[in-house]
């Protein structure tokens, strides 16, 4: 009983810390990608580090990626994900409140109730993203937050040296 009370107190303290940012602004990746495509005229290597989650339709995001290839730039997309949370949606069976750190919006759910549907939707999105990158000759590199980033970069650079 004492440990339950302690857990509740800790949870209340954590929730108090989870206030949305004072000036919550979304990152408009799509506009940013189009600006890069328009402003860089000389053939360049463009390296993107992104979670690829946007509050918009997927096609607009994929069109922005295609635009980057318009001037024959070499584009490398490092897709940064938290495999355990973002792919497997593993949050246990207790109710959770999810907070969008960019907008401050919140939603409360039992993660297990939506886990299967979420996993299917994310798997379909990642498959489409892979396909769009392959069709546009964009190098796609999946990066797990928990992985050794230096190893990922070294592997990519070694592969680039070998295969161009």
């Amino acid at each position: 009983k004492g440990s339950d009370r302690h857990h509740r107190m800790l949870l209340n303290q954590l929730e108090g810390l989870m206030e949305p940012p004072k000036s919550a602004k979304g990152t408009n990746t799509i506009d940013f990608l189009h600006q890069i495509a328009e402003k860089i005229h000389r053939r360049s290597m463009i390296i993107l580090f992104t979670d690829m989650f946007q509050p918009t339709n997927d096609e607009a995001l994929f069109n922005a990626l295609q635009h980057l290839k318009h001037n024959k730039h070499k584009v490398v997309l490092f897709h940064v994900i938290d495999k355990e949370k973002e792919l497997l949606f593993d949050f246990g069976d207790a109710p959770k409140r999810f907070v969008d750190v960019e907008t401050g919006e919140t939603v409360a759910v039992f993660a297990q109730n939506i886990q299967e549907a979420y996993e299917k939707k994310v798997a379909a999105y990642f498959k489409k993203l892979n396909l769009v990158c392959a069709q546009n000759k964009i190098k796609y590199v999946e990066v797990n937050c928990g992985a050794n980033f230096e190893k990922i970069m070294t592997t990519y650079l070694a592969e680039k040296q070998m295969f161009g």
Side-chain angles (χ1 to χ4, degrees), residues 14 17 42 52 56 63 74 81 86 90-91 94 113 115 123 127 137-138 144 147 151:
L14 287 172
L17 293 172
R42 205 173 70 217
M52 289 303 291
T56 184
N63 288 340
K74 171 127 175 102
I81 57 162
E86 290 177 330
D90 185 9
F91 290 96
N113 292 354
Q115 188 172 12
K127 187 175 179 182
K137 295 185 172 59
I138 293 172
N144 185 10
K151 186 176 176 188

Side-chain angles (χ1 to χ4, degrees), residues 40-62:
I40 301 178
H41 299 296
R42 205 173 70 217
R43 280 175 84 179
S44 305
M45 174 180 267
I46 300 168
I47 300 177
L48 303 170
F49 292 87
T50 175
D51 61 10
M52 289 303 291
F53 285 116
Q54 285 296 302
T56 184
N57 67 48
D58 297 342
E59 290 309 312
L61 187 55
F62 297 149

Side-chain angles (χ1 to χ4, degrees), residues 78-117:
F78 285 92
H79 186 185
V80 183
I81 57 162
D82 180 337
K83 193 167 187 178
E84 186 181 310
K85 302 299 182 199
E86 290 177 330
L87 280 187
L88 305 177
F89 209 65
D90 185 9
F91 290 96
D93 57 0
K96 296 282 186 275
R97 182 173 56 146
F98 295 92
V99 181
D100 184 326
V101 295
E102 291 186 353
T103 66
E105 289 180 42
T106 65
V107 62
V109 293
F110 280 96
Q112 284 186 328
N113 292 354
I114 62 168
Q115 188 172 12
E116 190 178 332

